[in-house]
Amino acid sequence: MSQSNPEAASSLSPSESGQLHLDSAISQDLAERYEGLIFDCDGTLTNSMPLHYLAWHETMTRHGIEFPETRFYAMGGMPSEKIIAVLSSEQGVTVDVDLATEEKEANFIARIPNVERLAHVTDIAERHLNRIAMSVASGGMRDIVADQLRTIGVADWFPVLVGSEDTELHKPEPDVFLCAAERMGVDPKRCLVFEDSPLGFEAAQKAGMDWVDVRINA
């Protein structure tokens, strides 16, 4: 960890909820306060959320399930099979959850070549590369997350990748972030999470970690 700078440390003071303002994360040396950075993937490192929604809308429509875009973003960070189970139960639609999940993921995989970086977040990661422990912790399947990271050219930045298969409980529970911290060998209290969804923010708070809302217009 780098030598502490009182002025930098004060500018990195999060709110009572643990939120660090995005502007501070962009402009400051995060190594002054933190020992580990944990990044969500979809909607955080990559611009994949609109592509995910197209895949979701096509798949759910085929199964007779309505999935409004606002609901999609509210459920960000939840594993696909859980989303399908919740929606089908709410709407009284019988669906093979495993099959529908495979269809949705295949639909999205076909769109991965169109995924691009969210530069304001990847710039933060690049600035701290080889200076501080970094990981990716996602509600998505590990292989699909890894494909996205390779597509945007950052896969080798993150020695630790935690996906939905790695924990029994998922966001808003803290398990995915606690698993990432453990694998990085960093105290959770010394970690900063980058997220784009309310479920992710809640999970970070439950993990005892500070967090950044990466959404530009939030």
Side-chain angles (χ1 to χ4, degrees), residues 11-12 20-30 120 124 127 212-216:
S11 68
L12 288 173
L20 180 70
H21 197 277
L22 178 59
D23 287 346
S24 295
I26 289 173
S27 63
Q28 301 298 325
D29 181 0
L30 299 176
H120 68 287
I124 294 171
R127 189 156 45 86
V212 176
D213 180 350
V214 303
R215 298 172 299 177
I216 295 289

Side-chain angles (χ1 to χ4, degrees), residues 79-97:
S80 297
E81 60 271 17
K82 185 173 181 180
I83 290 174
I84 295 170
V86 169
L87 294 175
S88 61
S89 176
E90 289 177 349
Q91 298 178 35
V93 177
T94 300
V95 61
D96 184 324
V97 172

Side-chain angles (χ1 to χ4, degrees), residues 56 75 77-84 105 139-140 164 170-171:
W56 271 113
M75 298 176 85
M78 188 179 293
S80 297
E81 60 271 17
K82 185 173 181 180
I83 290 174
I84 295 170
E105 299 302 347
S164 61
H170 305 99
K171 303 170 189 177

Side-chain angles (χ1 to χ4, degrees), residues 39-206:
F39 295 84
D40 176 44
C41 178
D42 295 290
T44 298
L45 290 169
T46 69
N47 70 340
S48 60
M49 296 304 278
L51 302 177
H52 269 294
Y53 183 67
L54 290 174
W56 271 113
H57 185 265
E58 288 183 5
T59 305
M60 292 298 92
T61 298
R62 189 159 53 247
H63 288 276
I65 295 174
E66 296 181 4
F67 195 10
E69 191 169 5
T70 53
R71 186 75 188 283
F72 163 71
Y73 280 101
M75 298 176 85
M78 188 179 293
S80 297
E81 60 271 17
K82 185 173 181 180
I83 290 174
I84 295 170
V86 169
L87 294 175
S88 61
S89 176
E90 289 177 349
Q91 298 178 35
V93 177
T94 300
V95 61
D96 184 324
V97 172
D98 290 339
L99 178 60
T101 299
E102 290 178 5
E103 291 177 3
K104 183 269 163 183
E105 299 302 347
N107 195 320
F108 174 70
I109 288 169
R111 302 174 190 272
I112 287 180
N114 296 320
V115 167
E116 297 178 345
R117 296 185 184 192
L118 286 177
H120 68 287
V121 182
T122 57
D123 285 353
I124 294 171
E126 186 170 22
R127 189 156 45 86
H128 293 85
L129 188 61
N130 299 322
R131 299 182 54 243
I132 186 171
M134 298 199 304
S135 63
V136 173
S138 171
M141 296 180 180
R142 193 187 315 110
D143 287 348
I144 295 177
V145 172
D147 281 347
Q148 291 188 68
L149 299 179
R150 283 191 289 269
T151 296
I152 65 170
V154 303
D156 59 349
W157 294 6
F158 304 101
V160 172
L161 169 55
V162 181
S164 61
E165 309 97 315
D166 295 306
T167 62
E168 183 175 350
L169 299 178
H170 305 99
K171 303 170 189 177
E173 298 308 316
D175 300 48
V176 66
F177 294 140
L178 293 174
C179 180
E182 180 180 5
R183 292 183 181 181
M184 289 191 298
V186 177
D187 184 336
K189 293 184 174 60
R190 305 295 294 173
C191 291
L192 178 65
V193 171
F194 292 82
E195 261 284 357
D196 69 308
S197 73
L199 292 180
F201 308 150
E202 184 178 347
Q205 291 177 49
K206 287 181 177 179

Side-chain angles (χ1 to χ4, degrees), residues 12-21 210-211:
L12 288 173
S13 297
S15 68
E16 289 186 6
S17 69
Q19 181 176 9
L20 180 70
H21 197 277
D210 293 344
W211 53 279

